Amino acid sequence: QNNYRMFVNGVMVYPDDHGHGSQEAFASVVSQYPNLASSVDSLLDSLAAILVSEPLLDRIRTLQTFDDCDIEGAFPAYQAIVDRGEAVLPLADGETLLPREAPTTAPSTPEEQHETVRRFMLSCTAKDCSTMIVLKPAPVAVSTDNEAPDFRSLPPELEGERVVTAAHGFNYSIAAVDLDPKPLAKMPKYFKEDAKIAEHYAKLEAAGELK
């Protein structure tokens, strides 16, 4: 799996070159850098503290909820757009998409259909992105949990590129990466995969294998 990767001075040290990793291997890697953390638990606690004090995960979650019609609602809208011979605007173009209440009816107008598809593709990008945290041990005393900074309410316009100093034992920066927009050509693939999942679930339910 590629759920967690660790780099030191730009070189990946975990998992190995073949993508293999384990708790024991991770502990072995961490032990080689005592100036970074005294143990695996210490490092993970610091990473968790940084993540919960930053607004990034909340913002990613908000983007993920843009999929308010699911593929069952987005794919018919996409198909209608294709049938009319129209092109969907790239995610970086068009009007800014904002959080909204989930619609109670299927999109019927061209405008609604375009927005539904764009919101779905944006949510797919957010569901498949990565979070990168760059750490450097802080040269000063660590603040206590009660004194640790909380940036969750920081307005986006004040976010930008910033380095937080002497927090949770580190100077650090955090960012979302792998944000390339998902291609519209994947819409049929998403629809087929969803249908397979629903079909498999129905078979398990009928066989009484769900608990």
Side-chain angles (χ1 to χ4, degrees):
Q1 295 186 10
N2 63 350
N3 293 333
Y4 180 86
R5 295 184 181 185
M6 180 175 174
F7 296 77
V8 176
N9 296 326
V11 178
M12 188 171 71
V13 296
Y14 180 87
D16 63 22
D17 294 338
H18 303 289
H20 300 150
S22 65
Q23 291 183 343
E24 293 76 14
F26 184 47
S28 176
V29 168
V30 172
S31 68
Q32 299 174 37
Y33 304 96
N35 64 322
L36 183 66
S38 59
S39 66
V40 169
D41 287 344
S42 174
L43 177 59
L44 295 181
D45 285 346
S46 295
L47 292 175
I50 290 171
L51 286 170
V52 300
S53 67
E54 290 284 335
L56 183 60
L57 293 187
D58 286 338
R59 291 174 183 169
I60 291 175
R61 180 181 60 184
T62 297
L63 290 176
Q64 291 173 344
T65 64
F66 277 26
D67 174 18
D68 49 22
C69 290
D70 203 8
I71 186 64
E72 289 89 350
F75 186 73
Y78 164 79
Q79 196 63 60
I81 293 171
V82 172
D83 291 344
R84 292 195 299 267
E86 299 171 358
V88 178
L89 283 174
L91 295 182
D93 298 337
E95 296 184 1
T96 300
L97 299 175
L98 299 173
R100 67 176 185 182
E101 292 292 328
T104 57
T105 59
S108 56
T109 67
E111 293 76 14
E112 291 174 343
Q113 291 166 347
H114 276 271
E115 181 179 7
T116 295
V117 172
R118 294 182 68 231
R119 294 179 76 89
F120 177 82
M121 297 308 297
L122 184 59
S123 76
C124 289
T125 298
K127 291 172 184 176
D128 198 33
C129 71
S130 301
T131 301
M132 181 173 65
I133 303 175
V134 179
L135 300 173
K136 182 179 180 180
V140 296
V142 183
S143 60
T144 65
D145 288 343
N146 291 333
E147 298 169 340
D150 188 337
F151 300 104
R152 286 173 296 178
S153 59
L154 191 66
E157 61 269 18
L158 299 180
E159 184 74 7
E161 295 183 6
R162 59 184 171 84
V163 176
V164 179
T165 59
H168 312 295
F170 296 96
N171 299 337
Y172 73 85
S173 62
I174 183 171
V177 295
D178 300 329
L179 292 172
D180 296 325
K182 299 300 178 184
L184 284 169
K186 281 196 170 185
M187 286 290 287
K189 177 176 179 288
Y190 291 143
F191 185 70
K192 290 179 181 178
E193 289 178 346
D194 186 79
K196 288 181 179 179
I197 293 173
E199 181 181 357
H200 183 63
Y201 182 90
K203 288 181 179 178
L204 292 177
E205 186 177 37
E209 298 181 17
L210 297 179
K211 297 181 179 181

